[in-house]
Amino acid sequence: MDASENNNDLASESSEAKILNVSDNRVVAFHYRVSEVDVDGKPARLIESSFSGRPQIYLHGHRNIIFGLEKALSGRQPGETVSVTLSPIEAYGPRRDDGIRRVPIKYLQLSNGPAKGKLRPGTLAMLKTEKGTRNVIVLKAGKFQADVDFNHPLAGKSLYYDLEVVAVRNASAEEIAHGHVHGPGGHQH
């Protein structure tokens, strides 16, 4: 066999690359468009879309995205699209009444520094807790205390998603051990 025949064999092998399905321990890139669901069960106000930017990347089977999305993407291949309506339980969970608390302002921080004197209702702030930093929404702010909501802003809402699988690859042993994607679009160590 001469060198040109050998090169043709490699070209045909690489052009027949196996298409991977979304399954556990695979890195998945996907686009999404998410809308609130109105009282009639139809998509309403658009909340967010990735279609004009970079796709979301996650490690399937490691709880890196909400349960309902992971379930909807399971078994899909690159190029496939799916639309799905998720109940609050499948998305960000129910709203919890005990998620609203009064906290000292000194423990709140905004993305650009301390929160003192800058808090307004609806502001996203970070609260330093014994278990790490938590995102909260300011409901009411006084001079020394603020009422904040620990619930996710989409908790208690049914959500409609348009999804498109962009790419699927096998995760590295290190990604599987760490439980998240490394490199572009993933975690940087």
Side-chain angles (χ1 to χ4, degrees):
M1 180 184 320
D2 70 15
S4 64
E5 288 177 24
N6 200 9
N7 286 339
N8 287 339
D9 288 344
L10 290 173
S12 66
E13 282 179 14
S14 65
S15 67
E16 295 175 16
K18 185 176 180 195
I19 297 174
L20 298 176
N21 288 346
V22 174
S23 63
D24 288 354
N25 297 325
R26 292 204 171 136
V27 174
V28 180
F30 72 99
H31 278 296
Y32 66 92
R33 184 178 302 110
V34 60
S35 303
E36 285 188 47
V37 174
D38 66 17
V39 293
D40 298 324
K42 299 197 180 343
R45 180 182 70 86
L46 176 68
I47 297 169
E48 187 175 81
S49 175
S50 71
F51 281 93
S52 62
R54 291 185 174 168
Q56 179 75 29
I57 299 173
Y58 77 101
L59 179 57
H60 195 80
H62 290 260
R63 300 177 148 197
N64 295 154
I65 61 172
I66 59 176
F67 168 75
L69 286 186
E70 195 164 71
K71 183 176 167 187
L73 291 167
S74 255
R76 308 261 177 215
Q77 294 181 343
E80 280 192 67
T81 60
V82 63
S83 296
V84 62
T85 299
L86 302 181
S87 69
I89 296 298
E90 297 170 303
Y92 292 95
R95 285 196 58 75
R96 296 175 46 128
D97 292 336
D98 65 349
I100 297 173
R101 303 221 181 102
R102 181 163 287 165
V103 298
I105 288 178
K106 68 182 179 181
Y107 295 116
L108 294 173
Q109 191 165 349
L110 300 175
S111 60
N112 60 354
K116 193 162 179 84
K118 301 176 187 173
L119 293 176
R120 305 279 179 267
T123 302
L124 177 65
M126 293 167 283
L127 176 67
K128 298 176 210 166
T129 72
E130 297 163 353
K131 296 180 181 179
T133 303
R134 296 273 313 265
N135 287 333
V136 296
I137 302 290
V138 175
L139 301 175
K140 180 180 172 186
K143 189 171 182 178
F144 301 105
Q145 305 278 324
D147 292 344
V148 299
D149 189 348
F150 281 82
N151 287 296
H152 188 282
L154 298 176
K157 297 182 185 218
S158 291
L159 302 173
Y160 178 84
Y161 282 87
D162 288 314
L163 306 166
E164 178 186 0
V165 178
V166 176
V168 179
R169 70 168 171 81
N170 288 316
S172 69
E174 184 180 42
E175 289 172 322
I176 293 167
H178 290 184
H180 57 252
V181 178
H182 293 171
H187 188 78
Q188 307 294 323
H189 284 278

